[in-house]
Structure formats: structure tokens, C-alpha cells
Amino acid sequence: MSDTVLSVRNISKSFGGIRAVNDVSFEVGKGEVLGLIGPNGSGKSTLFNCVLGQLRPDQGEVHVNGKPVAGMRACDLNRLGVGRTFQQLSVFPEMTVLDNIILAGQEHKGTMWSRLFGSADAGLSGEADRLIEFFRLRHLRQEKAGSLSYGQQKLLDAAMAFMAGPDLVLLDEPAGGVNLTMLGNLKERLQTYNRDHGTTFVVIEHNMEFVMSLCTRVIVLAEGSIIAEGSPEEVRSNQQVIDAYLGG
Amino acid sequence: MAIIPKWAFILVGIVLLVLAPIGQGNYVALILCSWLMYTIAAMGLNLTLGYAGQISLAQGSFMAIGAYITALLTLSGVHWLVAMPLAVLGCFIVGLLVGFPALRVKGHFLAFVTLAFNTLVVLVLRNEDWLTGGSYGKSNMPRPDFWLFNTGTKSTFLSIPLSSNQKMYYLCLAVFIVFALLMYGLIRSPWGRAFKGLRENPIRAESLGLDTRRLTLLAFAIGSAAGGLAGALVSPVVQYIEPNSFALQHSLRILLMVVVGGSGFFFGPMLGAAVVILLPEFLRFTEGYYLIIYSGLVIVLMVYSPSGLMGVGSRIVAAVRPKRVARTDMKEGAQL
Ligand SMILES: Nc1ncnc2c1ncn2[C@@H]1O[C@H](COP(=O)(O)OP(=O)(O)OP(=O)(O)O)[C@@H](O)[C@H]1O
Ligand SMILES: [Mg+2]
């Protein structure tokens, strides 16, 4: 498949005696929205961190747009067009919302020297404002990120992953703590990006409604291994998944 | 505050700084020089610690390296204008090397590594007599003489008599103003934002494409270069340097300046250096009690305003103009 954006092959990762991720392989095609679900502690976040260079997997290979990225630093991976969020809220609390957003994009703009001698906003104010508008954070533009509510910070956190115009975005529980209206809003934002920019997504989420209505394909992880894979409907009716995760 | 623009404050400040030593004796001029030199060193540490979040207890040793490079060069006939940039460059390179441990260790451990480096520098200065003059140090460094700054002799300017020390002060002031402008440009630039990102959330910063290793090294190198610049002024101002003038206690003093002034605030180090250097002079009349009063004040300040004097200031502003502050009910930071 020539339009495979992300390919994960035989990834395993253990912490001491715990095999958090056990020989996981999957591929994500361009423009896909892949859901990654599974019980708490099934290894979803660990898998993300292995893919994104935050953790070094014990074995396995990861390719982004056909390029091997094993052992690559997170910053280099980001420059290849991969954006991400963390499960824990991860913003820059003492900086304004605007500065958070600009910081998220500035490494992709100009050179090291143009960032030192050029304009203070790296020429990103306009783009940052559009993104802030897009995520409906306009009224909070000049507030310190750390003073926002949890849900607002969660939106900012997600917004930052988009600033550099990534091809591939991995989101770890973007809906946690976000209210229903905002959730609908967030889903709409992701779908807009997916449609207009062809952005590929991998989303970890426990909110089934969110996953089922957003994703084109779902992978179910349990105890570090993939137990099911398919369309939202297929996964929902899979007996093994119901037993392990969804419950009857 | 918005009615009076910021630049007006700065302009008034500069005028006051220019007038400060006029009509005062040699001693006052030297104290003011010392305040400006320490401010430069503290502003450098403020970049490393306050903005980039990397603790260093070695800033005194960079002043030492800068001062010795300048002393050795100027004593052998090199012009100060050539010696000074070499001192800055030397400290930039050594600072870069000292930054490497910071890639592996953080917090208290990094503090110990830098502390050990400071001790190492003092030992080298003491033991390598052939180069550094050992415990006797170096003395009689010539004062710079160029353009308006013929600091070696006394003269009159616009019929105001100026002593050599007063003219040395004006050189320090000129260097300080240029340095502060450069620093301000750096802090405002995307680099400054990146340094703050490194301080606040290095893991997220890295995932946003910021090369946190390079940033850490640069934070050390630039901060240390500022220490070197301060050292390049110490040499001609004091005209006598020896290893003990740069021992650990001086690094701790510079750290105190940053913390008391307000770490991560641009003007914090100026204020902090004023408190650490000028306050003891004002408290002189209390004789033996000055250290007790001084330490007491610092403890009270740190308990009530961990963000230093600038923190007190911004609290007063916030009381007048309410502003949102970072909340404490959410623990930030990416934990994998
Ligand atoms: N740094 C670590 N050190 C030791 N064990 C870890 C570490 N990170 C994860 N684990 C273990 O690996 C397993 C998988 O954790 P992971 O965070 O990947 O789960 P998850 O699927 O993301 O769960 P959740 O839905 O609760 O976020 C858990 O048993 C966890 O205890
Ligand atoms: Mg998780």
C-alpha cells in the first residue's frame, strides 16, 4: 500500500515483569481516522509512546510515510509532520494561550537564525489566531494557559498538535473532561481537518460514542495485544470485545 | 500603568543611572560598578535558571574565567576591546561543555554538578601559578582607553570633573545597556519562548519539534557568556583578582540576586543585585547586626513571595488590575 502513513510492526514493550505492549502490528492509511480502544492498562498510551519516540520499544519497527523512525527523537519525528497529545494535560501553564500556540508552530517556520533575529511571533500570529478561533478560544487568547479550566486546557492541548500542519496526529484521550457541546465541537474540528487537509488521525478514547461516530476503523487492545480490528460496527458486535471491554 | 508607556520608565531609569555617580566619591562609583557587573552576571543566570529552568551554581566561575582571560590578555598588551569578546567567547564554549551534564541530570543533582565545576575552576586558578599567579592572583590590569572611555585617567566632561572610577562606571553602564538590549531581544524572540517552553514542559516542547538538548546547551552557553562579560569588566574595575573572589559563595550570591529579584522576570536581576550589593551598604549603620537584618529580610521575602521582589510588584499590580493567575488545582506536565 503506497499511501500508508503509519506502519507499526511487531512492537513490544515491557516494564519489569509487565508486558505492556505485546507484538502489536497495524497500518494506518492516508486520511484514515483510526480508533484505539481497550481497558485501562491495556497498553494504549505505551504503544503511542513507543511509536512517537518517547519510549524505546524492546522490539519492532515503526515507519512514517515509509521512513523508518525507530530510535528517532520526538522532535525530529515532529518535524516529519507527526503531531501528538499526551494523556495528561500538557500545556505551558505560565505562557499565554497565544504563546502556547505559537510555540507549537515556530520550529517549523524559518531557520534557527531567522527565529533569533526575526519577528517575535515568528510570523505566526495570524495563523495562531485562526487556530484559536477555530477551537473557540478567542476570548482566552491573552490568558495564561494554566488559568484555564480543565476542558479549555484540553482543547488548547489538542489545538497545539495542529499548529504545525501535521499529516498525522495521534491523540491520547482528547475527550476526557470535555463537556458534551465541546465534545461535539472537537469532533467537528477533527472531521474538518480530516476532510480539508487530509490529516490522518489515530485516537485513543474511552468515550464510545465519540469513537464510534468519528472513526473509520477501530483497533481493540487488551493486555497489550490486539484482540479485534474492524469497522466500528464489527468491533461493537465482537463477542471478545464485549467480554473484555465493552461489557454486556 | 498603561498611561505612561514602558519606554518612558526605561528612559527615566537610564537618566538616573547616568546621574548616579556625579558628585559622589570613588567608593560610591566602585559600588555602582559592582552592582552593574553583578547585574550582568545575574541576568545571564536568569536566562539559564529563570527562563530555561536549568539550575546552575557556577556563575561565579564564569566571571572568574572571563576576568582571568581579560586580565592575562590586557596585561600582555592586548586591547580590552579585543580581550572582552574573547572572554565572552571563552565562557560561551566552556558553558556549552558544562551544559552537557544537564542533558542527563536535573534539579538538585545538576546543582551539585555545577557546584563541583565551580570548585574545580577555583582549584585550577589556585594551582596553575605559571598562568594564573596562584593565590596571589593578577593585579594592575590596565583600564580601557578608547573613544569617550579614557577610563585610566581623570578628566572633565562638559566641565564636570570625572575620576577614573567614575569613568569606569560609565563604561560599565554602556556595556550594561547594550547587553540588556541584546538580552531583551533574545527573550522576546522565538528563542526566548522556546527557553520558557523548556522550563515549563520539556517533554511537550520536544514533541512540538523543539530540540530540547540544543536549547539546554544554549541556555548554559549564553548564560555563561554573560558571566564572562561581567568578568571582563571586573578585571579593569577592580584591577586585582585572585581565586577566592570567585569561590562558591559568589556563585551563591548571584543565585540569591536572581531569586530575590524574581527569577524569570527581565528586570529581576537588576533589583536583586541592588538588594544584595547596595542594601548591606545602607545597613552599615547597624554595624554588627546588618547580616542578621539582611538575612531576616531575605527569609521573609522568600516565604511571602517566592517569585521575589518582582513577584511582590506584580501582586500589587494584580490587586489594582485583576489578572488571572495559574491555578494550583491542576498538576501540569506530561507524565508518560
Ligand atoms: N513507565 C512505566 N513504568 C512501569 N510500568 C508502566 C509504565 N508505563 C506504563 N506501565 C504499565 O504498562 C501498562 C499499560 O499502561 P498504559 O498507560 O499504556 O495503559 P493505557 O491503555 O493507556 O491505560 P488507560 O486507558 O488507563 O490510559 C500498565 O500496566 C502500566 O502499569
Ligand atoms: Mg493511557
Side-chain angles (χ1 to χ4, degrees), chain B residues 249-277:
Chain B
Q249 74 199 72
H250 297 277
S251 291
L252 293 176
R253 267 177 97 202
I254 300 171
L255 180 66
L256 187 66
M257 291 170 192
V258 173
V259 175
V260 163
S263 132
F265 289 94
F266 187 75
F267 291 107
M270 257 185 109
L271 219 56
V275 170
V276 174
I277 290 184

Short mmCIF file of all heavy atoms in Angstrom, two decimals, chain B residues 249-277:
data_model
loop_
_atom_site.label_atom_id
_atom_site.label_comp_id
_atom_site.label_asym_id
_atom_site.label_seq_id
_atom_site.Cartn_x
_atom_site.Cartn_y
_atom_site.Cartn_z
N GLN B 249 30.84 30.91 47.25
CA GLN B 249 29.93 31.86 47.89
C GLN B 249 29.49 32.97 46.93
O GLN B 249 28.40 33.51 47.06
CB GLN B 249 30.57 32.47 49.14
CG GLN B 249 31.65 33.47 48.84
CD GLN B 249 32.56 33.67 50.05
OE1 GLN B 249 33.35 32.80 50.39
NE2 GLN B 249 32.42 34.81 50.70
N HIS B 250 30.33 33.27 45.94
CA HIS B 250 29.95 34.31 44.99
C HIS B 250 28.92 33.80 44.00
O HIS B 250 28.03 34.53 43.58
CB HIS B 250 31.19 34.85 44.29
CG HIS B 250 32.12 35.52 45.25
ND1 HIS B 250 31.95 36.82 45.66
CD2 HIS B 250 33.17 35.03 45.97
CE1 HIS B 250 32.87 37.12 46.56
NE2 HIS B 250 33.62 36.05 46.76
N SER B 251 29.04 32.52 43.64
CA SER B 251 28.01 31.93 42.80
C SER B 251 26.68 31.92 43.55
O SER B 251 25.62 32.18 42.96
CB SER B 251 28.38 30.49 42.42
OG SER B 251 29.47 30.50 41.54
N LEU B 252 26.74 31.62 44.84
CA LEU B 252 25.52 31.62 45.64
C LEU B 252 24.93 33.02 45.73
O LEU B 252 23.71 33.20 45.71
CB LEU B 252 25.79 31.06 47.04
CG LEU B 252 26.17 29.59 47.07
CD1 LEU B 252 26.53 29.13 48.47
CD2 LEU B 252 25.02 28.73 46.53
N ARG B 253 25.80 34.03 45.81
CA ARG B 253 25.32 35.41 45.85
C ARG B 253 24.58 35.76 44.56
O ARG B 253 23.54 36.41 44.59
CB ARG B 253 26.50 36.38 46.02
CG ARG B 253 26.79 36.73 47.46
CD ARG B 253 27.99 37.62 47.51
NE ARG B 253 27.63 39.03 47.60
CZ ARG B 253 28.45 40.02 47.26
NH1 ARG B 253 29.62 39.75 46.74
NH2 ARG B 253 28.08 41.26 47.42
N ILE B 254 25.15 35.32 43.44
CA ILE B 254 24.49 35.63 42.16
C ILE B 254 23.14 34.91 42.09
O ILE B 254 22.15 35.48 41.65
CB ILE B 254 25.40 35.23 40.98
CG1 ILE B 254 26.72 36.01 41.07
CG2 ILE B 254 24.71 35.52 39.65
CD1 ILE B 254 27.77 35.56 40.08
N LEU B 255 23.12 33.67 42.59
CA LEU B 255 21.85 32.94 42.63
C LEU B 255 20.85 33.69 43.50
O LEU B 255 19.67 33.83 43.15
CB LEU B 255 22.09 31.54 43.19
CG LEU B 255 20.86 30.65 43.31
CD1 LEU B 255 20.31 30.33 41.92
CD2 LEU B 255 21.19 29.35 44.04
N LEU B 256 21.34 34.20 44.64
CA LEU B 256 20.47 34.97 45.55
C LEU B 256 19.90 36.20 44.84
O LEU B 256 18.71 36.52 44.98
CB LEU B 256 21.28 35.39 46.78
CG LEU B 256 20.49 36.06 47.91
CD1 LEU B 256 19.53 35.07 48.53
CD2 LEU B 256 21.43 36.61 48.98
N MET B 257 20.74 36.87 44.04
CA MET B 257 20.26 38.05 43.30
C MET B 257 19.11 37.67 42.39
O MET B 257 18.10 38.37 42.31
CB MET B 257 21.39 38.64 42.45
CG MET B 257 22.49 39.25 43.27
SD MET B 257 23.89 39.66 42.21
CE MET B 257 25.11 39.99 43.47
N VAL B 258 19.27 36.56 41.67
CA VAL B 258 18.23 36.13 40.73
C VAL B 258 16.94 35.81 41.48
O VAL B 258 15.85 36.24 41.09
CB VAL B 258 18.70 34.91 39.91
CG1 VAL B 258 17.57 34.36 39.06
CG2 VAL B 258 19.88 35.28 39.04
N VAL B 259 17.09 35.08 42.58
CA VAL B 259 15.90 34.63 43.31
C VAL B 259 15.22 35.79 44.05
O VAL B 259 14.00 35.93 44.01
CB VAL B 259 16.29 33.50 44.29
CG1 VAL B 259 15.10 33.09 45.13
CG2 VAL B 259 16.81 32.30 43.51
N VAL B 260 16.02 36.64 44.69
CA VAL B 260 15.44 37.77 45.41
C VAL B 260 14.77 38.75 44.44
O VAL B 260 13.68 39.24 44.69
CB VAL B 260 16.52 38.50 46.24
CG1 VAL B 260 16.06 39.88 46.67
CG2 VAL B 260 16.88 37.68 47.46
N GLY B 261 15.41 38.99 43.33
CA GLY B 261 14.84 39.92 42.35
C GLY B 261 13.58 39.36 41.72
O GLY B 261 12.62 40.08 41.49
N GLY B 262 13.58 38.10 41.46
CA GLY B 262 12.43 37.49 40.80
C GLY B 262 12.90 36.72 39.59
O GLY B 262 13.09 37.30 38.52
N SER B 263 13.08 35.43 39.76
CA SER B 263 13.63 34.63 38.67
C SER B 263 12.61 34.52 37.54
O SER B 263 11.42 34.32 37.78
CB SER B 263 14.04 33.27 39.26
OG SER B 263 13.59 32.23 38.51
N GLY B 264 13.07 34.74 36.31
CA GLY B 264 12.17 34.71 35.17
C GLY B 264 11.54 36.06 34.86
O GLY B 264 10.73 36.16 33.96
N PHE B 265 11.91 37.10 35.62
CA PHE B 265 11.47 38.47 35.30
C PHE B 265 12.66 39.21 34.71
O PHE B 265 13.76 39.14 35.25
CB PHE B 265 11.01 39.22 36.55
CG PHE B 265 9.71 38.73 37.11
CD1 PHE B 265 9.69 37.78 38.12
CD2 PHE B 265 8.50 39.22 36.63
CE1 PHE B 265 8.49 37.33 38.65
CE2 PHE B 265 7.30 38.78 37.15
CZ PHE B 265 7.29 37.83 38.15
N PHE B 266 12.44 39.97 33.65
CA PHE B 266 13.57 40.58 32.97
C PHE B 266 14.37 41.53 33.89
O PHE B 266 15.58 41.48 33.93
CB PHE B 266 13.10 41.34 31.72
CG PHE B 266 14.25 41.84 30.89
CD1 PHE B 266 14.98 40.96 30.13
CD2 PHE B 266 14.61 43.17 30.92
CE1 PHE B 266 16.05 41.39 29.38
CE2 PHE B 266 15.69 43.62 30.18
CZ PHE B 266 16.41 42.73 29.40
N PHE B 267 13.65 42.39 34.63
CA PHE B 267 14.36 43.35 35.48
C PHE B 267 14.67 42.80 36.87
O PHE B 267 15.24 43.50 37.71
CB PHE B 267 13.56 44.65 35.59
CG PHE B 267 13.53 45.42 34.30
CD1 PHE B 267 12.38 45.48 33.53
CD2 PHE B 267 14.66 46.05 33.84
CE1 PHE B 267 12.35 46.17 32.32
CE2 PHE B 267 14.65 46.74 32.63
CZ PHE B 267 13.50 46.81 31.87
N GLY B 268 14.28 41.57 37.11
CA GLY B 268 14.53 40.95 38.42
C GLY B 268 15.98 41.03 38.88
O GLY B 268 16.26 41.50 39.99
N PRO B 269 16.94 40.61 38.04
CA PRO B 269 18.33 40.61 38.48
C PRO B 269 18.87 41.99 38.85
O PRO B 269 19.68 42.13 39.75
CB PRO B 269 19.09 40.06 37.26
CG PRO B 269 18.08 39.28 36.53
CD PRO B 269 16.77 39.97 36.74
N MET B 270 18.39 43.04 38.15
CA MET B 270 18.82 44.41 38.48
C MET B 270 18.44 44.73 39.92
O MET B 270 19.23 45.26 40.69
CB MET B 270 18.11 45.40 37.57
CG MET B 270 18.96 45.94 36.46
SD MET B 270 18.03 47.20 35.58
CE MET B 270 18.92 48.65 36.11
N LEU B 271 17.20 44.40 40.22
CA LEU B 271 16.68 44.64 41.56
C LEU B 271 17.39 43.76 42.58
O LEU B 271 17.81 44.23 43.65
CB LEU B 271 15.19 44.30 41.53
CG LEU B 271 14.23 45.17 42.30
CD1 LEU B 271 14.36 46.61 41.87
CD2 LEU B 271 12.81 44.67 42.10
N GLY B 272 17.54 42.48 42.23
CA GLY B 272 18.18 41.54 43.14
C GLY B 272 19.61 41.95 43.44
O GLY B 272 20.04 41.93 44.60
N ALA B 273 20.35 42.34 42.40
CA ALA B 273 21.75 42.75 42.61
C ALA B 273 21.79 44.01 43.45
O ALA B 273 22.68 44.18 44.30
CB ALA B 273 22.43 42.98 41.27
N ALA B 274 20.82 44.90 43.26
CA ALA B 274 20.77 46.12 44.08
C ALA B 274 20.60 45.75 45.54
O ALA B 274 21.29 46.28 46.42
CB ALA B 274 19.63 47.02 43.62
N VAL B 275 19.68 44.80 45.81
CA VAL B 275 19.45 44.40 47.20
C VAL B 275 20.69 43.75 47.78
O VAL B 275 21.15 44.09 48.87
CB VAL B 275 18.24 43.44 47.28
CG1 VAL B 275 18.15 42.83 48.68
CG2 VAL B 275 16.97 44.18 46.93
N VAL B 276 21.29 42.82 47.04
CA VAL B 276 22.40 42.05 47.58
C VAL B 276 23.65 42.92 47.74
O VAL B 276 24.41 42.77 48.69
CB VAL B 276 22.70 40.83 46.70
CG1 VAL B 276 23.94 40.09 47.17
CG2 VAL B 276 21.51 39.88 46.70
N ILE B 277 23.85 43.88 46.84
CA ILE B 277 25.08 44.69 46.91
C ILE B 277 24.86 46.01 47.63
O ILE B 277 25.69 46.42 48.45
CB ILE B 277 25.64 44.93 45.49
CG1 ILE B 277 26.16 43.59 44.97
CG2 ILE B 277 26.75 45.98 45.50
CD1 ILE B 277 26.81 43.67 43.66
#
